[in-house]
Amino acid sequence: IDGRARALVSPQFGASSHTSELLLKARNIWTGIRSCFYVSGRDVVIIAAKKIGFKVVALTESESIPKNIIMAIKSSPNIPGAKTIYPAIHAPGGFGVEPILYLFGPNAKQLSEKCVQLSELIKS
């Protein structure tokens, strides 16, 4: 809105079972993550995320089921190591599906700060 990222509603418990399920499954891979946030998976966002330190692993096909997303990245040769602080998963779009970039971090505050950096980099 007016060139800035804005929250349209405040965070709500249980608002996204999809995101929470993905976070719980991803914690089996990256032991230090405690937060997940997702943003547009457009190329400009992915490039900016990499520039600020996210280790992005990309799915080869569109997928939206958390269990299948995790299974797909586990078989990737480019999966970031277990101690990675800021991993990310890029799920490409498909027919009627927007590309998504799932961002993970050690806690909500630090992940939010990284997302502000991401927003600032894209804006400039």
Side-chain angles (χ1 to χ4, degrees):
I1 300 173
D2 295 328
R4 294 190 45 101
R6 304 271 172 118
L8 299 178
V9 296
S10 60
Q12 299 175 12
F13 183 76
S16 179
S17 59
H18 171 82
T19 305
S20 60
E21 183 180 350
L22 185 60
L23 173 61
L24 291 173
K25 292 184 181 320
R27 286 181 62 190
N28 292 324
I29 299 172
W30 301 297
T31 57
I33 63 169
R34 299 291 180 267
S35 295
C36 179
F37 188 82
Y38 64 92
V39 296
S40 168
R42 294 180 305 141
D43 290 342
V44 66
V45 178
I46 295 166
I47 292 166
K50 288 177 180 178
K51 282 183 181 178
I52 63 168
F54 283 98
K55 305 297 182 205
V56 179
V57 61
L59 301 178
T60 56
E61 295 182 24
S62 182
E63 183 57 68
S64 61
I65 299 170
K67 180 178 94 173
N68 295 348
I69 291 171
I70 297 301
M71 285 176 34
I73 65 162
K74 279 185 174 180
S75 64
S76 171
N78 300 324
I79 188 170
K83 300 284 186 197
T84 303
I85 297 174
Y86 293 105
I89 301 172
H90 175 239
F95 182 74
V97 178
E98 293 290 325
I100 295 176
L101 182 63
Y102 297 97
L103 305 171
F104 300 93
N107 59 54
K109 182 178 185 293
Q110 288 177 295
L111 183 57
S112 296
E113 289 168 352
K114 284 294 246 191
C115 289
V116 168
Q117 288 177 6
L118 179 63
S119 175
E120 294 293 329
L121 187 58
I122 293 168
K123 186 173 88 171
S124 59

